[in-house]
DNA sequence: ATAGGGTTAACC
DNA sequence: GGTTAACCCTAT
């Protein structure tokens, strides 16, 4: 098994682009410039197709060149230079390179037949490998359900299926190629580049912004000035030397592929080219270093000497496996290395075993690609497919852009957005949302179980990073998600039994509870009304204030007990799950404030019968928890005043509904004989400032009407007289409120203001 | 914090 | 249905 070195993933898109450009008959100068620009290092097997395609393009260019200058170069037949289709383009190009006339050579010294090259290029065209992108396009275009429809749709290839599905490049006629080599069937993909003739292309090779290519341009221009074909050949040779730089980056590929060169002096001669006075080609030092040194090769497949070869690396690659086996195993390695997926079945040799790889859904589309291509028997395509797998993985890691996961993540977001809206929707709509949520989760389960479960059959992998290790396993029965704690992004949540629930399940659970709670809400509301009426009946029929206070105290104590009950560990544990879900959702902007709805859902999670008080107590508790400290202080003060003054109830919770005090106050009002009837109207009106926590599902409860007592009115008038300013129209209601603090019971500055308005309305002279 | 308009429910 | 008192909402 060939050792896999960690390489920079940034080289992959370069290779893919070069392949595609080489397939689309881009100018060779541009190709060679791109080759030189490939960043980082990569495996020797990577870029194999790219090299082949680029070399073929150069050979094609060379043959065109020779065709146009047939009278001067490569005209002498040489049986030794005939090429076989089994030769790779790179080898042939090296041979051609070795036989190119030097600047100080006469053309008659050439031993290369241009016809050989032309024939080779023509014949080779039919068996050139497709570029990775073309293959991917073919797979997408095929009616294969291995590629998700969404991916197909995104590819834009559903309607324009131009691919024949063959593993080799589309055939073109020789005349087409040689008459107009730069305008091929894929020229439209390179529409921005002007179409040029072959001679133009190679006498004035276009060089873009790629810095290193500028030299080529200058060389070309200089060569063109000479008007000789030899400089043109040197140009081609030089371009090939650029290709060699690709080889160097690929760790001794040169050593593996260097061809035999019988002309032992050719190297020195070539080197001398640069130093020949008056030579038309000027090479920079860098380019000189780029020149492939004299290949002293004894065996095409064995390591040979080369000045540019990294011997250490070459040594590790002396024996290259057969391409089939090697690539098949390479595929396996890459899949394990990059995707951490497990191979379910694998034979020991390449074509026959037909790798059956089950990947996670994030790479499932590419999995099919890999499988297809492997079975297709093209070992090279395995690499392409493997790269696609890597690429897919990158996609999945960097935004879920193209993988099926992205679609599902979109569904997640969509679902959650809808769930966020759930509180404003009808039950039917909520049911629909729940169905959608369940459907989504089921799909998640099915995918997960189909992939992850299978994958995890022998190895447990994190659902995020696809790496094993210490994983948290979701405790839900139907969920097999596992994740590293560090991959969670948020703190993991556990229930009372320290069972972990993944965010999906926690959220699903919260949604379910919310739905259940909503169904119980009407019953709870009805029970609440019944309870209040019953309590009011008792109040009305009681003549003993202290007894009522005891009743209130008992009632409040009961609520407090429920408070305590809520804080019991098991209940806290349950809430932790929900909190985790909320936290998780808060991290997702689209559902950020859905947490409050779920919290409210939790708050109304209560039974219909015995939990009528629960709703009220929750309102109280939340009011307590959510109120600002100042508010609490103020209200608590009022409560304290009221209870101390009128009820002598000392053990009340600091803040509770104003019913006790109001009831007492109502009785005081009743005792004053002013508004006796008002005591029977106990509509629940909760002031905004006193209960910031609202319940959308509950009707806006109105604060109980509290008629003003004579004492209150007098205190108000006194306060106005004392603090009203003739100059300032603003009335210091706060000061007045504090002034009559002992008299005003459960009044706010707004109440004072409103009451004063009513007083003024009734008797403006006041 | 305050003012002012609006709303609601009880009462006539 | 009109009136009224208490409460609510919003602008400043």
């Amino acid at each position: 098994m060939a050792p896999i070195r960690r390489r920079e993933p940034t080289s992959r898109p370069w290779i893919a682009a070069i392949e595609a450009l080489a397939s689309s008959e881009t100018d060779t100068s541009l190709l060679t410039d791109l080759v030189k620009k490939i960043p980082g290092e990569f495996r020797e097997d990577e870029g194999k197709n790219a090299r082949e395609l680029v070399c073929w393009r150069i050979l094609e260019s060379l043959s065109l060149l020779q065709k146009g200058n047939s009278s001067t170069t490569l005209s002498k037949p040489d049986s030794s230079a005939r090429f076989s289709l089994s030769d790779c383009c790179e080898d042939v190009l090296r041979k051609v390179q070795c036989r190119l006339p030097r600047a100080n050579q006469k053309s008659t010294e050439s031993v290369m037949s241009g016809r050989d090259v032309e024939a080779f290029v023509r014949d080779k065209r039919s068996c050139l490998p497709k570029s990775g992108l073309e293959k991917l396009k073919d797979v997408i275009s095929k009616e294969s359900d291995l590629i998700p429809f969404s991916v197909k749709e995104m590819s834009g290839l559903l309607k324009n299926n131009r691919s024949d599905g063959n593993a080799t490049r589309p055939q073109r006629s020789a005349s087409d190629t040689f008459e107009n080599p730069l305008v091929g069937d894929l020229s439209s993909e390179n529409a921005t580049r002007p179409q040029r003739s072959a001679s133009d292309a190679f006498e004035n090779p276009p060089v873009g912004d790629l810095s290193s290519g500028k030299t080529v341009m200058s060389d070309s221009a200089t060569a063109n000035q000479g008007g000789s074909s030899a400089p043109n050949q040197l140009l081609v040779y030089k371009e090939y030397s650029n290709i060699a730089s690709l080889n160097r980056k690929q760790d001794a590929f040169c050593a593996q592929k260097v061809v035999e060169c019988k002309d032992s002096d050719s190297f020195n001669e070539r080197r001398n080219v640069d130093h020949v006075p008056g030579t038309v080609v000027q090479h920079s030092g860098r380019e000189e270093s780029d020149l492939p040194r004299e290949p002293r090769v004894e065996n095409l497949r064995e390591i040979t000497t080369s000045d540019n070869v990294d011997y250490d690396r070459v040594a590790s690659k002396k024996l290259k496996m057969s391409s089939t086996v090697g690539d098949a195993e390479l595929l396996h390695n890459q899949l394990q290395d990059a995707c951490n997926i497990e191979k379910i079945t694998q034979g020991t040799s390449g074509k026959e075993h037909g790798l059956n790889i089950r990947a996670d859904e994030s790479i499932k589309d590419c999995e099919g690609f890999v499988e297809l291509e492997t079975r297709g028997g093209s070992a090279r395509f395995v690499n392409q497919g493997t790269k696609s797998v890597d690429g897919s993985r990158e996609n999945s890691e960097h935004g879920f852009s193209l993988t099926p996961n992205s679609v599902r993540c979109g569904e997640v977001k969509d679902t959650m957005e809808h769930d966020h809206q759930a509180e404003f929707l009808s039950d039917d709509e909520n049911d629909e949302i729940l169905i959608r949520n369940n459907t989504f989760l089921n799909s998640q389960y099915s995918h997960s179980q189909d992939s992850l479960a299978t994958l995890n059959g022998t190895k447990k992998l994190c659902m995020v990073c696809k790496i094993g290790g210490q994983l948290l396993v979701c405790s839900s029965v139907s969920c097999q998600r596992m994740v590293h704690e560090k991959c969670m992004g948020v703190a993991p949540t556990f229930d009372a039994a320290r069972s972990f629930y993944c965010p999906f399940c926690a959220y699903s659970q919260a949604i379910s509870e919310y739905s259940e709670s909503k169904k119980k809400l009407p019953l709870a509301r009805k029970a609440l009304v019944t309870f209040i009426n019953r309590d009011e009946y008792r109040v009305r029929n009681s003549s003993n204030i202290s007894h009522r206070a005891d009743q209130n105290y008992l009632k409040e104590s009961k609520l407090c007990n429920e408070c305590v009950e809520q804080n019991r560990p098991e209940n806290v544990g349950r809430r932790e799950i929900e909190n985790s879900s909320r936290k998780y959702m808060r991290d997702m902007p689209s559902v950020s404030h859905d947490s409050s709805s779920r919290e409210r859902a939790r708050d109304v999670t209560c039974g219909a019968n015995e939990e009528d008080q629960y709703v009220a107590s929750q309102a109280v508790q939340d009011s307590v928890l959510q109120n600002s400290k100042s508010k609490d202080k103020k209200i608590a003060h009022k409560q304290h005043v009221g209870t101390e003054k009128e009820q002598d109830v000392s053990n009340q919770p600091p803040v509770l509904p104003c019913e006790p005090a109001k009831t007492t106050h109502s009785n005081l009002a009743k005792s004053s004989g002013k508004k006796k009837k008002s005591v029977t109207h106990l509509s629940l009106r909760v002031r905004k400032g006193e209960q910031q926590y609202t319940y959308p599902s509950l009707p806006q409860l109105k604060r109980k009407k509290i008629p003003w007592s004579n004492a209150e009115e007098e205190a108000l008038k006194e306060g106005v007289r004392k603090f009203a300013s003739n100059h300032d129209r603003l009335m210091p209601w706060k000061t007045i409120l504090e002034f009559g603090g002992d008299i005003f019971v459960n009044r706010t500055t707004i109440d004072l203001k409103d009451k004063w308005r009513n007083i003024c309305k009734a008797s403006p002279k006041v």
Side-chain angles (χ1 to χ4, degrees), chain A residues 682-694:
Chain A
L682 291 174
S683 60
L684 277 175
R685 300 193 73 178
V686 184
R687 303 212 65 148
K688 179 183 176 185
E690 296 169 358
Q691 186 183 9
Q692 297 175 346
Y693 224 56
T694 57

Side-chain angles (χ1 to χ4, degrees), chain A residues 322 324-325 328 345-356 374-378:
Chain A
S322 70
T324 304
V325 175
T345 61
Q346 180 184 10
T348 53
S349 62
K351 290 181 182 178
E352 297 80 12
H353 59 40
L355 292 178
N356 181 15
T374 308
R375 287 173 177 167
S378 173

Side-chain angles (χ1 to χ4, degrees), chain A residues 419 421-431 433-434 510-525 597-598 600-608 696-698:
Chain A
D419 288 338
Q421 301 166 2
E423 62 182 289
F424 306 110
L425 304 177
S426 66
D427 287 345
D428 291 340
E429 289 168 326
N430 275 332
D431 290 342
I433 289 171
L434 284 172
I511 288 293
S512 300
E513 290 185 12
Y514 175 52
S515 176
E516 289 298 315
S517 301
K518 280 202 70 176
K519 291 175 182 175
K520 294 175 180 176
L521 174 63
L523 293 174
R525 185 182 298 157
S597 68
R598 280 190 302 279
R600 288 191 289 273
R602 172 181 63 81
D603 290 334
V604 297
T605 302
C606 53
S697 300
L698 289 170

Side-chain angles (χ1 to χ4, degrees), chain A residues 474-489:
Chain A
C474 182
S475 300
S476 294
V477 177
S478 57
C479 179
Q480 298 187 11
R481 291 188 181 87
M482 306 174 203
V483 64
H484 291 116
E485 183 172 349
K486 60 181 173 59
C487 293
M488 284 278 293

Side-chain angles (χ1 to χ4, degrees), chain A residues 13-84:
Chain A
W14 284 84
I15 294 174
I18 290 172
E19 283 182 8
L21 289 171
S23 300
S24 61
E25 301 180 2
T26 306
D27 290 342
T28 53
S29 59
L30 176 61
L31 292 175
T32 54
D33 288 339
L34 287 172
V35 166
K36 288 188 290 186
K37 291 289 181 182
I38 296 177
E41 295 184 350
F42 45 92
R43 229 167 10 220
E44 77 273 17
D45 45 38
E46 286 185 322
K48 197 173 182 179
N49 278 2
R51 289 199 307 272
E52 186 72 0
L53 289 167
V54 172
C55 288
W56 183 85
R57 289 282 301 124
I58 294 175
L59 283 172
E60 182 189 37
S61 304
L62 182 60
S63 67
L64 289 167
L65 198 63
Q66 299 309 320
K67 191 177 181 181
N69 299 283
S70 58
S71 60
T72 56
T73 58
L74 298 181
S75 58
K76 185 178 179 180
D78 178 18
S79 59
S80 66
R82 295 189 183 281
F83 309 113
S84 165

Side-chain angles (χ1 to χ4, degrees), chain A residues 248-385:
Chain A
R248 274 198 307 281
K249 289 188 175 185
Q250 291 166 352
D251 307 329
F253 176 79
C254 286
Q256 179 188 329
K257 294 283 187 178
V258 168
V259 297
E260 181 180 5
C261 182
K262 294 180 180 178
D263 184 2
S264 59
D265 296 327
S266 60
F267 171 65
N268 290 331
E269 289 174 2
R270 280 199 303 279
R271 292 180 63 89
N272 289 336
V273 167
D274 298 338
H275 308 291
V276 172
T279 180
V280 294
V281 175
Q282 302 289 329
H283 288 288
S284 68
R286 181 188 177 279
E287 289 165 344
E288 185 181 6
S289 68
D290 284 343
L291 292 172
R293 305 307 191 202
E294 172 62 11
R296 302 177 187 279
V297 183
E298 302 301 328
N299 188 327
L300 288 177
R301 296 291 174 184
E302 287 295 329
I303 305 302
T304 59
T305 59
S306 171
D307 292 352
N308 293 328
V309 171
D310 179 334
Y311 290 97
D312 293 334
R313 290 176 177 174
V314 170
S316 66
K317 297 181 178 114
K318 279 189 175 179
L319 295 176
K320 179 178 176 62
M321 298 180 182
S322 70
S323 61
T324 304
V325 175
D327 287 338
E329 292 185 357
L330 172 66
L331 166 64
H332 171 59
N333 275 352
Q334 288 188 335
L335 286 173
Q336 280 199 330
D337 175 45
C339 304
N340 287 292
I341 61 175
E342 287 189 351
K343 190 174 56 178
I344 302 305
T345 61
Q346 180 184 10
T348 53
S349 62
K351 290 181 182 178
E352 297 80 12
H353 59 40
L355 292 178
N356 181 15
I357 294 167
R358 303 295 300 269
D360 180 85
E361 58 261 34
S362 66
I363 57 170
K364 202 165 187 173
D365 49 340
C366 298
E367 164 200 350
F369 183 39
V370 171
E371 215 166 4
L372 274 179
E373 301 307 341
T374 308
R375 287 173 177 167
S378 173
R380 293 182 176 188
F381 296 155
V382 171
N383 282 342
Q384 302 301 325

Side-chain angles (χ1 to χ4, degrees), chain A residues 44 99 101 196 218 224 230 321 486 531 543 547 565 702:
Chain A
E44 77 273 17
R99 286 162 175 78
R196 302 182 306 164
S218 62
N224 204 25
M321 298 180 182
K486 60 181 173 59
F531 168 77
S543 59
H547 174 69
E565 180 70 17
K702 217 173 179 183

